[in-house]
Structures are given as C-alpha cells and as structure tokens.
Amino acid sequence: MSSLDLFAPSAETKRLSVKLTVEQLEKIGMTKMEAKDFITLRERFLNKPLMEWERVNPLPKDFCASLDSLPSVDKDRATEILGKLVVVQLNGGLGSAMGLTAAKSSLQILNNDSPHSILDCKILQIEKLNQDYGVDIPLVLMNSPSTDEETLQILKSHEGKGIKIHTFLQGEHPLMHKDTLAPLPKSKGERQGWIPPGSGEVFQGLLRAGLLDKFKSAGKEFLFISNVENMGATIDLKLLNHIYSNQIDFQLELTNRISTDSHGGLPISYKEGKVHIMEISQVPFEYHKQFTVSRYQYWNTNNMWARINNVLNMLKLNALELDFIIKYKTSGGRNVAQIETPAAMSIHSFKRAVGVVVPRSRYRPVNSTAHLLAAQSNLYQFSDGAMTLNASRIGPEPLIKLGEHFTVISEYQKRFKSVPNILELDHLTVSGDVTFGSNMTLKGTVIIVADHGERIDFPDGVILENKIVSGNLQLKEN
C-alpha cells in the first residue's frame, strides 16, 4: 500500500525527533486510544519518503461512473436500502474564516418566519425520508470540543421528532514543535493548543463511541459521510443503490473541477495505480503547472459512501490507513507542525473503491460569506431542508466575489440591509466599503468598487443590471 507523501521530514527533524510513549501522552491528558493514534500518525510522517512526482497521473478511465448513468430506484427498493443507511455529518468546523466563534452548522440559512440553521436543514431532510418511506435512518454528528455544546442546544428542538440522533466528540491532538515533533503542552491544563486531527478521525471516532458495532447489530450496512456545511450533500437513492448493488466498499463523489477550486482534494493515480486524494494547496509551486484543469478534471466533494462491516473490520485490523497533510505555522511565537487526515484520503485503503461523477449541485459548501449570500438568496428554493436551484433560474449559478470588508459575518450582516434579488445575476464583484439597501435587485454582471477612503451606499430598492459602480456614492431615497 503506497502512501501519498507531499512533504517528507528533513534529516534534521528525524535526528532531533523525540521518542514518545503512550504513558507520556496520557500524562498530558490524552486517552490511551488518542495517544496510540497520535503516535502512529507521527511515526508515519517521520518515516515517509519523498514524493515521486513523475509517478503522479490522472485517474484511470474506468475508475469513475457517472451519476446520470446509474439506474433509477423504485419505492420498494428505496425502502429496503434506506433502512440500511446511517448518515454521518462532519460537524467540527467553527467557521473561523468568517469570523465565527460558533459552530458553522448554526449559521441561519432561512431567515423567514421559520428560521433554520444548516443543521436544522440536514435534520429535516432525514425526518422527511423516514416519514415518506417508513424507515429509521439515524443521524450521527461528529462534533469538536468547539462545536459540541452549541450543537446539543440546537438538537433540543428536534427531540421526539422522528429521527434518532447520535453525537460523539472528535479527539484532539497537540501541536508539535517543528524541529523535534515533541508535543507542545506540558500538562493537562495546557490543552488550548490542541486541535482536532482532521475529518479522517471520523472512522476511529465512530469505533471509539461504539457506534459501528451498534449499527451493525441493528442491521445497518452503509455510511453516508459529508461535511455538514455542504448544502448539496443530500441522500441520493441512485448513489446508495450503486454501492449496495455492486458490492463496493467505498464510493467517493467527484465533480467537474473549475478554475476557482484551489483548496481541497484532487483525485490522482499514484505509483502502482492506487487512487489517492491530494491536497492541491500543499503542492509546491514549481509543480502546479502539472495539475491543469484540463488534465486533472475532477474534484473531491468530500461526500463519501462506505460499507460499515468493511470499515469496522479494517479498523480492528489496523488496516485503514489515511494519507495526511502536514501544516507548518506559528503559535504563541513558536514554530509548530500540525498533521491532519482528511476522511476522503482513506480511499486508497479500500480494495473495492470507486468514484462517481456528480453535478456541481452536490457540492455547495457554505464556507464564506459569498457562499452564504447565495444560499440565503432567491437563487435557491428549500423543501424539507433540501436546497435546490430556483426553477426560474436560467443558466448556471452566478460567480460571487465579496471583498475583505464582507469577510466577517458581522460585517456581512451590517452591509446587507436585506439579501438582494439575484435570480438573474451572472457575476458579482464587490470591493471596498460598500453597503446595500433593502429590496435591491442585481442582474447580469455587476462590479462595485469603492476605492480606499471612499464609500458606496445604495438606498432601498435599487436595481443594478450590467453595471460598474466605482468611486464615492451615497444615494438617498426620494
């Protein structure tokens, strides 16, 4: 089994690295299982070879099926396979890129008379399927220490409503000194520098919580795993039927890559032909030209389907090996290293792994205020929590770019008096100190630039169609 290794440790790091034991890590607050996982991951990093770039290739042509080509599913079959399904949502993110100190899943998507958060929408989808098909699809949330308390508060409003919800807490790993890879904290009281080790921890977390055994005993056979903030990650009967009917162990949804896909997973074939997911942001600049959109045309959605019995057996045999990402940064004035394991990077461990090419509509993450603006607008419609493109929309979804004045959610909320009508918008770029009045309409291509030291304020009801607005502008209502 080959490992995809972008950054190997230096000879100096290997020389200076300290030997760690489970007992040492237990003394600083790790559980025995957390300590074993951390040591294994750290040792894999220390022993990994250099990346062989000449052995990286696009996916084999026969690796992917197309969602469009999969057969439809009748109601009897749907009832049978839905009864075998467990939905797992990766719910550890804070949305810190948007200035949030709250769980990303708590973001309000629907702000009408009945406001709904992202998490509310996900729960409503499963409740509807359980009701329509007479099944019992449970929801599992992998929370982080930062999102757990707030998530449990949201769940109180869904108690007794036709869905069983399980939660477990994602483990945490200490940051490491860059040169020695020694863990940063020296006591149980210094965990503020600890972080979750990535979404790949979902497999060990399900095992630690006893949920895999529980679901297997209850007759469940499949996991559908996705990021909670991906509003496109709904339960698709054709995809579920595909993994069921073809004895597939692991099924990864891929979508057509576009030029703005810059942070995330690129599926590749490596060495002896094993499929891996490579984090494109970690590729050294001199190799970027190899990975053009025309040659590497697919992108990882992080929507995954896995067979429970296979995952359980592999974990118990220590055979589920994930590729990982190494990040270097500064924390508290110290140079530190952090190792993360994204869940989709488990794909090379499965013997019967496949990809399915799905439309971009199954990849709608809410990771920025630009994404949030689109999700909250009339561009989409909601039915029982599921977000679909407005039937009146003609053409693809618009490209929206909001400048740094809109990055933080509190500023975003202040700068939009209400969410504008963007049903006929193709492209929006906003830069500088700009505020939008209520009941505005944006159509075609709209570019708004307030230069440094200048400000643009739009009054209520303004319609902008194929307009470039720049300079300094404070309009008043008549």
Side-chain angles (χ1 to χ4, degrees):
M1 184 180 299
S2 65
S3 179
L4 183 64
D5 306 311
L6 298 185
F7 295 103
S10 66
E12 184 72 358
T13 297
K14 289 183 177 182
R15 186 180 68 82
L16 294 174
S17 63
V18 295
K19 183 74 173 177
L20 295 178
T21 65
V22 170
E23 290 73 23
Q24 287 174 319
L25 295 175
E26 284 182 304
K27 289 179 180 178
I28 62 170
M30 298 186 85
T31 66
K32 182 168 289 187
M33 191 171 286
E34 281 179 332
K36 288 180 178 179
D37 292 344
F38 177 73
I39 289 172
T40 299
L41 194 58
R42 182 176 176 272
E43 288 299 315
R44 283 185 57 215
F45 171 62
L46 280 170
N47 295 320
K48 74 180 192 174
L50 285 170
M51 184 75 174
E52 298 176 46
W53 293 100
E54 70 280 2
R55 300 181 72 179
V56 177
N57 290 291
L59 290 179
K61 290 183 178 180
D62 61 351
F63 180 73
C64 293
S66 169
L67 178 59
D68 292 338
S69 69
L70 302 185
S72 58
V73 181
D74 63 33
K75 186 161 185 179
D76 287 342
R77 177 68 160 208
T79 301
E80 176 190 359
I81 59 180
L82 285 171
K84 301 176 184 294
L85 181 64
V86 176
V87 175
V88 182
Q89 296 284 276
L90 307 174
N91 186 47
L94 276 181
S96 53
M98 291 181 275
L100 281 175
T101 55
K104 196 184 297 183
S105 60
S106 69
L107 275 172
Q108 296 295 310
I109 295 294
L110 292 176
N111 288 318
N112 51 22
D113 295 335
S114 179
H116 288 88
S117 67
I118 290 175
L119 181 55
D120 289 326
C121 289
K122 295 305 181 93
I123 293 172
L124 287 172
Q125 292 171 31
I126 301 174
E127 287 178 351
K128 177 64 172 172
L129 284 171
N130 283 342
Q131 177 183 338
D132 288 351
Y133 290 90
V135 293
D136 181 20
I137 304 169
L139 172 64
V140 181
L141 299 171
M142 182 174 78
N143 300 335
S144 69
S146 300
T147 65
D148 190 53
E149 184 176 346
E150 186 172 19
T151 297
L152 295 178
Q153 286 297 318
I154 294 174
L155 295 183
K156 287 181 179 179
S157 65
H158 294 275
E159 291 177 353
K161 289 189 177 180
I163 180 173
K164 294 176 183 175
I165 303 177
H166 307 266
T167 66
F168 68 90
L169 203 57
Q170 188 174 12
E172 290 184 299
H173 287 180
L175 294 171
M176 300 175 291
H177 289 280
K178 180 181 177 182
D179 294 331
T180 64
L181 298 186
L184 218 57
K186 295 183 174 63
S187 72
K188 290 184 180 181
E190 294 183 26
R191 286 192 72 132
Q192 66 269 24
W194 292 36
I195 54 172
S199 61
E201 227 246 337
V202 64
F203 302 111
Q204 286 287 356
L206 286 165
L207 181 66
R208 284 198 303 268
L211 290 172
L212 290 177
D213 287 304
K214 179 185 179 76
F215 293 139
K216 181 182 176 182
S217 298
K220 304 297 182 183
E221 295 183 24
F222 306 102
L223 302 173
F224 173 46
I225 306 170
S226 66
N227 295 334
V228 70
E229 69 272 16
N230 182 3
M231 296 302 295
T234 58
I235 297 169
D236 186 281
L237 292 173
K238 290 166 71 174
L239 287 166
L240 176 56
N241 188 54
H242 190 242
I243 188 172
Y244 174 78
S245 301
N246 295 283
Q247 293 300 308
I248 294 164
D249 296 328
F250 186 87
Q251 176 174 278
L252 182 63
E253 294 182 42
L254 305 174
T255 195
N256 288 318
R257 182 182 170 203
I258 59 177
S259 59
T260 53
D261 291 328
S262 57
H263 294 282
L266 190 69
I268 63 167
S269 174
Y270 186 54
K271 288 190 174 179
E272 72 281 9
K274 278 281 188 181
V275 171
H276 294 258
I277 300 298
M278 182 176 68
E279 176 64 37
I280 193 67
S281 64
Q282 294 245 305
V283 176
F285 179 76
E286 60 268 30
Y287 295 105
H288 275 204
K289 61 185 179 183
Q290 292 184 208
F291 301 102
T292 60
V293 174
S294 60
R295 188 160 188 251
Y296 291 83
Q297 57 185 308
Y298 299 125
W299 195 250
N300 168 36
T301 66
N302 220 41
N303 300 341
M304 296 156 277
W305 305 76
R307 199 171 284 268
I308 289 174
N309 191 54
N310 188 268
V311 171
L312 187 57
N313 290 339
M314 291 176 74
L315 286 170
K316 290 182 176 180
L317 294 171
N318 293 318
L320 186 56
E321 183 179 282
L322 279 73
D323 290 329
F324 50 87
I325 299 168
I326 184 76
K327 294 182 178 178
Y328 297 111
K329 58 185 180 180
T330 302
S331 176
R334 293 171 287 197
N335 293 324
V336 298
Q338 166 190 344
I339 303 177
E340 290 185 8
T341 56
M345 287 189 176
S346 63
I347 190 169
H348 71 280
S349 287
F350 293 91
K351 289 182 179 179
R352 294 172 294 184
V354 301
V356 178
V357 180
V358 300
R360 295 283 299 193
S361 59
R362 289 193 60 78
Y363 182 58
R364 288 177 175 148
V366 181
N367 289 325
S368 68
T369 52
H371 294 155
L372 184 61
L373 175 65
Q376 291 179 335
S377 75
N378 62 340
L379 189 65
Y380 298 106
Q381 297 172 320
F382 285 82
S383 177
D384 298 305
M387 186 176 87
T388 57
L389 194 64
N390 192 317
S392 299
R393 169 71 182 183
I394 299 174
E397 292 150 284
L399 177 62
I400 299 175
K401 297 180 180 179
L402 301 180
E404 60 183 20
H405 285 75
F406 292 80
T407 301
V408 176
I409 191 76
S410 58
E411 282 295 312
Y412 162 83
Q413 291 168 337
K414 285 193 297 185
R415 292 178 180 278
F416 283 101
K417 196 172 178 181
S418 70
V419 176
N421 177 344
I422 62 171
L423 190 60
E424 298 178 54
L425 179 70
D426 297 321
H427 181 121
L428 172 65
T429 294
V430 184
S431 177
D433 188 358
V434 180
T435 58
F436 293 80
S438 62
N439 300 314
M440 287 186 62
T441 299
L442 309 177
K443 299 181 179 183
T445 296
V446 177
I447 299 174
I448 305 167
V449 179
D451 294 332
H452 180 70
E454 297 180 332
R455 176 172 172 167
I456 297 176
D457 295 315
F458 291 105
D460 298 347
V462 169
I463 298 174
L464 298 176
E465 182 173 3
N466 294 320
K467 293 288 186 183
I468 298 176
V469 181
S470 63
N472 188 65
L473 183 67
Q474 280 102 35
L475 299 177
K476 305 293 184 184
E477 294 93 337
N478 292 327

